[in-house]
Amino acid sequence: MRALTFLAHRFVAGDDIDDAIEAVRALNADGLKVTLDNLGEDSHDKAHALAAAEENLAMLRRIAQSGVDANISLKLSQLGMGFDDALAKESLLRIVAEAEKLKNFVRIDMEGSAFTQKTLDIFYSLHDAHPGVGIVLQAALRRTEQDCRDAVARKVRVRLCKGAYKEPDTVAFPDKKDVDANYDRCAEILAKAPIPAMATHDDARIEHALKAFDAAGLVKSDYELQMLYGIRGKRARELREKGHTVRVYVPYGTHWFPYFYRRLRERKENLLFIVRNFFE
Ligand code: FDA
């Protein structure tokens, strides 16, 4: 377990907010913006869900006090969605209100497809009155092209990713090439949304999005490119040097296993690395 914890630190900035702020400062020093995430999902009781809300409020205050360039990302299942949707919505509202007061921004991560509609419903119930909140859409899902069109119509800030969850073929494209094609299509649609955020480490997807944004008349300050902490850091810095706004998703906390597992699953070299280290 100690070895696994050690390996997880490639993708996780540390156990607490102090570790996270230190990582943010280092990234900011290289011109990279950050979105901070307190790891956690699927809270099963009110106490955990409320504690997660307090941690997100504390993150926003700490970002403001320390003057770092970061917003926050969170998962609604961590705030109680799934067992008490009203509680999750109430906590989200408190967090978004605090972010507004501090002139910051809250991004709602997207979880497995069982939660997609619920996440969008809670998000849209707040969005019109609170534009300082944005959503994530996953190119792997068949519904996402329409979700992107709806997001454009409602002037929503969207982060587009491929999707990290294992999904049935009925809701998601089973073939990677179809996910990639949908990513490109969705990037073109989102060129008309406010500050589209392209979250991918895939050069071909980034290039396609940049071409689509250019064709739509966007300039570099109109969109973001986003990557995960510990993945393709050199590429993130190259893109920054070319003048793009690059934001790194920095997770921290002790509840790292589900996040770490998703990072292992999406790349077989990571699994081989673990196996090699285990036997060494
Ligand atoms: P792809 O998987 O095709 O990888 C392209 C290249 O990136 C690989 O060839 C490799 O070089 C590198 N790479 C990718 N994954 C790697 C890994 N784990 N380790 C090492 N190298 C790797 N998902 C979700 O379902 N909900 C969400 O809210 C978010 N949020 C989010 C925010 C941000 C900022 C990012 C970058 C990603 C997410 N994701 C996410 C995760 C996303 O859905 C997806 O699982 C990963 O980004 C991997 O997909 P790529 O687009 O990078 O492409």
Side-chain angles (χ1 to χ4, degrees):
M1 190 64 186
R2 285 235 311 266
L4 259 194
T5 309
F6 173 74
L7 295 170
H9 277 101
R10 173 183 162 192
F11 301 112
V12 175
D15 288 348
D16 59 29
I17 185 79
D18 291 330
D19 299 329
I21 294 290
E22 209 176 296
V24 179
R25 283 193 204 287
L27 291 160
N28 284 173
D30 287 346
L32 303 169
K33 294 174 183 288
V34 166
T35 186
L36 255 191
D37 168 59
N38 173 232
L39 288 164
E41 47 204 270
D42 294 329
S43 294
H44 288 300
D45 60 61
K46 193 170 176 181
H48 277 98
L50 285 174
E54 289 307 317
E55 180 71 18
N56 278 281
L57 290 166
M59 280 157 69
L60 284 167
R61 292 175 194 134
R62 186 63 190 277
I63 288 168
Q65 281 157 11
S66 54
V68 294
D69 189 342
N71 60 36
I72 67 167
S73 291
L74 55 80
K75 290 184 176 52
L76 289 183
S77 76
Q78 189 187 19
L79 300 183
M81 182 179 66
F83 77 91
D84 188 342
D85 297 346
L87 174 70
K89 185 176 162 184
E90 207 177 286
S91 291
L92 178 65
L93 188 53
R94 278 198 298 141
I95 294 164
V96 169
E98 187 68 15
E100 268 169 12
K101 205 168 86 189
L102 297 170
K103 301 194 172 18
N104 208 330
F105 176 77
V106 178
R107 177 82 64 184
I108 303 175
D109 286 345
M110 189 55 80
E111 304 180 64
S113 63
F115 281 138
T116 310
Q117 191 55 50
K118 218 174 239 197
T119 304
L120 287 170
D121 289 345
I122 294 178
F123 165 72
Y124 276 118
S125 72
L126 261 71
H127 174 264
D128 292 348
H130 301 278
V133 59
I135 194 73
V136 177
L137 296 174
Q138 300 155 323
L141 301 193
R142 296 178 188 276
R143 60 174 288 162
T144 293
E145 183 177 343
Q146 185 56 45
D147 286 336
C148 287
R149 293 187 195 286
D150 295 345
V152 168
R154 295 186 67 169
K155 297 186 171 52
V156 164
R157 280 179 68 171
V158 174
R159 172 200 293 156
L160 181 66
C161 66
K162 288 193 189 178
Y165 297 82
K166 192 155 178 46
E167 304 287 2
D169 296 358
T170 46
V171 296
F173 300 106
D175 291 339
K176 189 175 163 18
K177 69 170 185 353
D178 294 326
V179 176
D180 289 348
N182 200 35
Y183 195 101
D184 293 347
R185 221 166 20 244
C186 290
E188 289 164 21
I189 296 167
L190 291 174
K192 295 199 189 72
I195 322 184
M198 297 297 109
T200 179
H201 315 92
D202 181 342
D203 282 331
R205 308 286 74 72
I206 295 171
E207 289 315 315
H208 186 94
L210 291 178
K211 279 199 190 117
F213 293 167
D214 188 46
L218 271 58
V219 295
K220 287 183 172 124
S221 54
D222 291 335
Y223 58 85
E224 292 187 356
L225 302 177
Q226 300 193 348
M227 293 195 182
L228 298 176
Y229 182 76
I231 301 179
R232 301 210 71 197
K234 186 162 165 267
R235 184 70 181 129
R237 285 165 180 80
E238 281 166 13
L239 289 163
R240 174 64 203 132
E241 273 157 27
K242 287 187 179 158
H244 300 292
T245 302
V246 181
R247 191 177 294 278
V248 180
Y249 184 104
V250 176
Y252 76 92
T254 50
H255 191 68
W256 48 261
F257 190 77
Y259 179 87
F260 178 57
Y261 178 71
R262 288 195 288 276
R263 301 292 78 78
L264 293 187
R265 229 174 44 102
E266 64 203 4
R267 196 157 186 256
K268 73 174 184 312
E269 286 86 342
N270 291 342
L271 261 178
L272 295 174
F273 179 67
I274 297 289
V275 172
R276 231 180 6 251
N277 274 271
F278 183 78
F279 285 108
E280 277 167 12

